[in-house]
Amino acid sequence: DFCLSRGLGDVYKRQVINNIILTGLIFSFKLTLIAMVLGIILGTLLAMMRLSKFKLLSSFALAYVTIIRSIPLVMVILWVFLLIPLFIGRSLGTEYSAIITFTLFEAAFYAEIMRAGIQSVKRDQANAGYALGMNYFQCMGYVVLPQAFRNMLPVLLTQTIVLCLLYTSDAADDLTRVD
């Protein structure tokens, strides 16, 4: 009976550990996907602001990207998890805190990738769009961004892999740890 109960205890522990690992893996992939999509959207907007002729928009985007990229991720996680609830009056919870943190953090990195991709498209391509009667947003959406996206796809994928493998595994470990 002692061996049987000991064996069942080991199996139970293994199942619990496997369940925790599977839950963390699913959370990491979900967090990566959401942060990637929202980060690329916000990063594109920041990149366009950074390339804007309006000094206020350009300065804001430059400051955001520079500041966020120079702050460790753990610090941003703490700010979002601890400071935002002070301002809004209620807790966001660990999942929403992680999603907001990773979106804001990755948007700064994606903004630089997008800016470089947009600048890699020759100015003549945009001029051709303007010659066809397109406005700025049409030209960016139909002419410049598709070409830029093709140029920056390898770097975007690399940044997403870094997000998935390095950052989310650390966040899942930190956010789900019970001491």
Side-chain angles (χ1 to χ4, degrees):
D1 286 329
F2 176 74
C3 292
L4 182 61
S5 66
R6 184 172 179 222
L8 287 176
D10 290 342
V11 169
Y12 177 74
K13 286 179 187 176
R14 204 171 310 126
Q15 287 176 343
V16 168
I17 291 171
N18 287 341
N19 189 22
I20 291 170
I21 290 172
L22 184 61
T23 302
L25 183 67
I26 291 169
F27 176 72
S28 290
F29 283 135
K30 185 171 78 170
L31 179 60
T32 299
L33 182 65
I34 293 170
M36 178 191 70
V37 170
L38 295 177
I40 287 175
I41 292 168
L42 184 58
T44 302
L45 293 174
L46 285 167
M48 292 175 70
M49 287 171 59
R50 181 105 190 266
L51 296 172
S52 173
K53 295 176 187 175
F54 299 109
K55 193 70 172 166
L56 183 64
L57 289 177
S58 180
S59 298
F60 173 78
L62 176 63
Y64 177 84
V65 169
T66 304
I67 290 169
I68 293 295
R69 288 182 68 189
S70 66
I71 298 173
L73 176 62
V74 174
M75 184 65 76
V76 179
I77 290 172
L78 285 173
W79 287 346
V80 170
F81 188 74
L82 297 174
L83 293 181
I84 289 181
L86 289 176
F87 293 119
I88 65 172
R90 65 179 188 88
S91 176
L92 293 174
T94 56
E95 284 190 19
Y96 288 120
S97 293
I99 289 169
I100 292 168
T101 299
F102 281 92
T103 298
L104 295 175
F105 191 76
E106 283 300 308
F109 288 92
Y110 287 134
E112 284 300 292
I113 295 168
M114 298 298 241
R115 183 188 57 80
I118 291 169
Q119 288 180 327
S120 73
V121 176
K122 293 183 180 179
R123 182 76 183 138
D124 294 341
Q125 297 294 318
N127 289 338
Y130 294 136
L132 291 172
M134 294 181 179
N135 63 30
Y136 175 77
F137 295 104
Q138 290 173 326
C139 188
M140 285 302 268
Y142 295 122
V143 178
V144 177
L145 284 177
Q147 293 178 60
F149 190 75
R150 187 189 72 208
N151 293 341
M152 62 188 150
L153 191 59
V155 183
L156 283 173
L157 291 175
T158 301
Q159 184 62 32
T160 301
I161 290 169
V162 167
L163 169 66
C164 180
L165 295 179
L166 295 179
Y167 298 148
T168 58
S169 61
D170 289 342
D173 181 49
D174 292 342
L175 293 173
T176 59
R177 179 175 294 148
V178 178
D179 292 328

